[in-house]
Amino acid sequence: MCGICGELRFDGTRPDPALLGRMMARLARRGPDHEGSYSDGALAFGHRRLAIIDLSPRSNQPMVDAELGLTIVFNGTIYNYPQLRAELQAKGYHFFSGGDTEVILKAYAEWGEACVERLLGMFAFAIWDTRKRTLFLARDRLGIKPLYFSRTPGALRFASNSQALLEAADVDTSIDPVALHHQLTLHAVVPAPRTVLSGIRKLPPASTLLIDEHGHEQPRTYWKLRAERPAEVYSEAEWLERIHGALLNAVRRRMDVADVPVGVLLSGGLDSSLLVALLAEAGKENVLTFSVGFEDQPEEKGSEFEYSDLVVERYATHHHKFLIPNGDVLLRLPEAVSCMAEPMVGQDAVAFFLLSERVAREVKVVQSGQGADEVFAGYFWYPQMAAAEGEDDVARFASRYFDRDHTEFLDAVEPRWHGPDYSAETVRRLLGEPGADTYLDRVLRMDTTTLIVDDPVKRVDNMTMAWGLEARVPFLDHELVELAMSMPPELKLRDGGKYALKQFARGRIPDAVIDRPKGYFPVPALKYVRGEFLAFMHDVLDSQAARNRGIFRREYLDALFAAPEAWMTRLQGSKLWHAALLELWLQLNVDAVRP
């Protein structure tokens, strides 16, 4: 788990070592254990390492295999690397390290671009072939690990975050109008390849890009998720048994493949509590667990300690509990936003940032429950969408998910950002892809392969890696996801959603945790914007920088300021926070390097 970056020149010049150094500096938080660089003519690599597997210097990066003529920078974890290593050894390959990085190098030498299809895990990596003079970029199937890039006439640069790319003076930092529509409509989800900045793109999940030193590109998608019933008919009991087995296997993989202790982020909800139970079932003792809470608001509690404490008591975990006052949230808010590769409106981004700071003092690796709601239909809007038969496909989704209708978007932004309903067009395209049996199958597939990637999964990666903490997400094990997507949707929706998880959680975790109302990772002060938080957001949006940028109409902002709690999204987020977060991100991450 690391931070990676690099540059490939197309114009006959060499990469600037000073720029590479600045890019690596912007990745330092992701990899505090080692810094390394490599250059070969038109190509330069940079790497910041967080040592998790094979802690020795032999697994430092960039990793060069002179015999094969290959060099790699890699971010992530390959859970089946021991099996792949044995297979490659049987083919005659010799290894000089004990980690998963070298396995990817040998796999690429043996299977070429198809090597990604054999990797089970989360990954973003770049391989330079010194003989063919080609650069190969790859990202995991569900986009757990990030990979951003910028393309200019003279070069392609890539990095684990956009901040590293912004160190180059020639990156176009203008606002992408399509991405802006997505940002303000799709709960800050900007589907790949776009970002809110015109000059920064991201490699889509489940895809690779081969590019030579002349700039010729060969993109490829290597995996597609299908949501169709299998030919064989299973009983409910058989489905539950299969899901339980696949999830137990996913949890075990993420426990065993590490040379450092592995903890659990325990929110007090079903998903993370179930991870603790399954770790115990897999034979793990003295599990390290971590919970965070915030100050209550009259409308909402700021912690779920009453539920996480029940799980701690049941499994006698080695527990750490942190209560963070609102003053700390406001004080640390700009720092958290400066660590976001893209503007992320979810309240729990700040929660994860502050929790990760404390957790990283104890462990380097944690398991987290992201993905369970999307894969197993746990959110309240799924049954609403399923029941709304007869509606247009997009309207059926948009009326229960979009933060703003297109009309409100046009009212919110200055006329120069007006255009078609880009978000509706994107959702219609994604829902219309083949390979799904029912409407809910199509929604869950879109959520799992697109929306989750640039919402909770991205938040967890950014906020944990800001403190050199690796987060593993068993519910997004691609084999588990494939199985769950083939499951009849009615088995997911029953009992308020996540029926399969609730059924085999019985007897493993307390009923009070299973039967509680659906909770979220709350930071109430960013939902009910009052007092110092309101003043802070006013200062951001009323600043000269915001006025010069000219994204939002002043009349719209005045309405938000006059009654912030009257302006909530369908997913119960603050529209004022959404606007302030976007502007604050641009000020901290773009304006700061473009004075």
Side-chain angles (χ1 to χ4, degrees), residues 339-494:
C339 291
M340 296 177 179
E342 299 175 67
M344 308 173 195
V345 300
Q347 303 164 40
D348 64 358
V350 182
F352 272 110
F353 181 81
L354 296 172
L355 174 60
S356 298
E357 178 183 19
R358 290 154 175 80
V359 174
R361 298 169 186 166
E362 307 294 332
V363 294
K364 281 187 171 183
V365 183
V366 288
Q367 296 202 34
S368 186
Q370 274 63 43
D373 285 299
E374 291 82 0
V375 174
F376 291 98
Y379 289 127
F380 68 84
W381 52 86
Y382 294 136
Q384 295 176 4
M385 293 177 185
E389 296 181 4
E391 294 184 20
D392 171 79
D393 279 1
V394 175
R396 194 172 173 180
F397 180 86
S399 63
R400 295 162 181 89
Y401 185 91
F402 280 12
D403 289 333
R404 292 167 182 79
D405 296 328
H406 186 56
T407 300
E408 185 182 343
F409 173 83
L410 298 177
D411 289 339
V413 301
E414 292 289 352
R416 65 183 176 129
W417 305 112
H418 290 187
D421 191 345
Y422 296 115
S423 299
E425 293 175 2
T426 296
V427 168
R428 187 175 301 281
R429 173 178 57 80
L430 292 170
L431 290 176
E433 292 182 354
D437 283 350
T438 70
Y439 181 77
L440 189 63
D441 286 321
R442 288 185 276 147
V443 167
L444 292 174
R445 181 185 59 183
M446 176 177 69
D447 212 343
T448 300
T449 58
T450 304
L451 303 183
I452 188 178
V453 174
D454 283 294
D455 189 13
V457 170
K458 181 169 66 183
R459 290 202 305 270
V460 171
D461 173 81
N462 278 213
M463 299 295 92
T464 55
M465 288 301 292
W467 298 104
L469 178 68
E470 174 180 306
R472 298 178 173 182
V473 282
F475 288 104
L476 292 179
D477 181 286
H478 85 268
E479 293 180 345
L480 171 65
V481 169
E482 289 173 337
L483 175 62
M485 282 295 151
S486 69
M487 181 187 229
E490 56 269 20
L491 275 182
K492 299 173 186 174
L493 289 177
R494 193 183 303 174

Side-chain angles (χ1 to χ4, degrees), residues 7 28 38 92 101 107 113 173 175 200 262 264 334 385 443 447 508 515 519:
E7 180 176 20
Y38 166 88
T101 304
E113 295 182 44
T173 59
I175 302 297
I200 295 182
V262 179
V264 176
M385 293 177 185
V443 167
D447 212 343
R508 291 182 169 87
D515 298 326

Side-chain angles (χ1 to χ4, degrees), residues 176-236:
D176 181 326
V178 178
L180 179 64
H181 198 287
H182 294 335
Q183 175 77 27
L184 297 176
T185 303
L186 288 175
H187 204 56
V189 169
V190 178
R194 295 182 185 275
T195 77
V196 74
L197 301 179
S198 299
I200 295 182
R201 292 296 181 248
K202 52 202 174 194
L203 193 68
S207 67
T208 64
L209 178 65
L210 184 69
I211 184 166
D212 65 23
E213 58 184 348
H214 303 294
H216 302 135
E217 297 183 1
Q218 296 179 35
R220 185 173 80 97
T221 299
Y222 64 88
W223 181 79
K224 284 282 190 181
L225 181 62
R226 306 189 74 82
E228 300 168 313
R229 306 295 81 79
E232 187 174 354
V233 178
Y234 297 104
S235 67
E236 177 182 318

Side-chain angles (χ1 to χ4, degrees), residues 24 43 51 55 64 80 97 109 118 141-142 150 156 158 160 219 263 307 320 394 436 442 497 509 522:
M24 286 194 288
L43 184 281
L55 309 184
V64 180
N80 65 334
S97 69
R118 293 173 174 263
R141 294 166 183 82
L142 291 160
S150 62
L156 179 137
F158 68 88
S160 295
Y307 298 108
H320 303 72
V394 175
R442 288 185 276 147
I509 62 176

Side-chain angles (χ1 to χ4, degrees), residues 126 329 547:
V329 176
R547 290 178 177 273

